[in-house]
Amino acid sequence: MTTGLSSVQLQILREELEDHLRWRVAQLADLKAASDGDVDLRDLLASVAAADHAIAEARECLDRLAEGSYGTCGGCGASIPFERLKVRPLARYCMTCQRRREAA
């Protein structure tokens, strides 16, 4: 499966995804540590759930990168442009499919 991305672009995106994953793991640890303080439990739980979800997404992207399917639209199978992935490394869909999903 070809994604239309060069090895240099894939390396840049891999580094971005790994940085994002490290940041989210640290964020999750900070949120869990904050549970000892005076915080709104609902806000804390929502933030923990969001961080957990982002960690899972980043790991899934890294798995797809390793298997060679990262950068392929989950809707139409087209290559997602590097420019879109650079801005949103967790993107699963090309802009056309993303707009369709948002409109539905």
Side-chain angles (χ1 to χ4, degrees):
M1 179 177 299
T2 180
T3 64
L5 298 170
S6 72
S7 60
V8 172
Q9 290 171 326
L10 288 170
Q11 183 60 34
I12 289 168
L13 293 167
R14 178 181 291 109
E15 290 170 7
E16 296 230 357
L17 288 165
E18 289 170 348
D19 287 346
H20 181 78
L21 180 59
R22 277 191 293 275
W23 177 75
R24 286 297 193 163
V25 168
Q27 178 190 35
L28 184 59
D30 290 345
L31 287 167
K32 288 181 178 178
S35 67
D36 296 336
D38 184 29
V39 295
D40 182 342
L41 187 56
R42 285 181 295 198
D43 289 343
L44 179 64
L45 291 175
S47 295
V48 166
D52 273 336
H53 180 73
I55 288 168
E57 279 188 309
R59 287 185 174 145
E60 184 180 311
C61 286
L62 287 166
D63 289 345
R64 288 195 326 263
L65 202 146
E67 73 182 21
S69 65
Y70 177 78
T72 301
C73 177
C76 67
S79 293
I80 301 172
F82 175 71
E83 294 77 18
R84 174 159 169 69
L85 293 169
K86 183 77 172 115
V87 172
R88 178 142 166 65
L90 301 178
R92 292 182 185 190
Y93 302 99
C94 67
M95 285 304 300
T96 302
C97 289
Q98 184 65 41
R99 285 186 187 116
R100 275 191 212 125
R101 292 179 60 79
E102 290 171 1

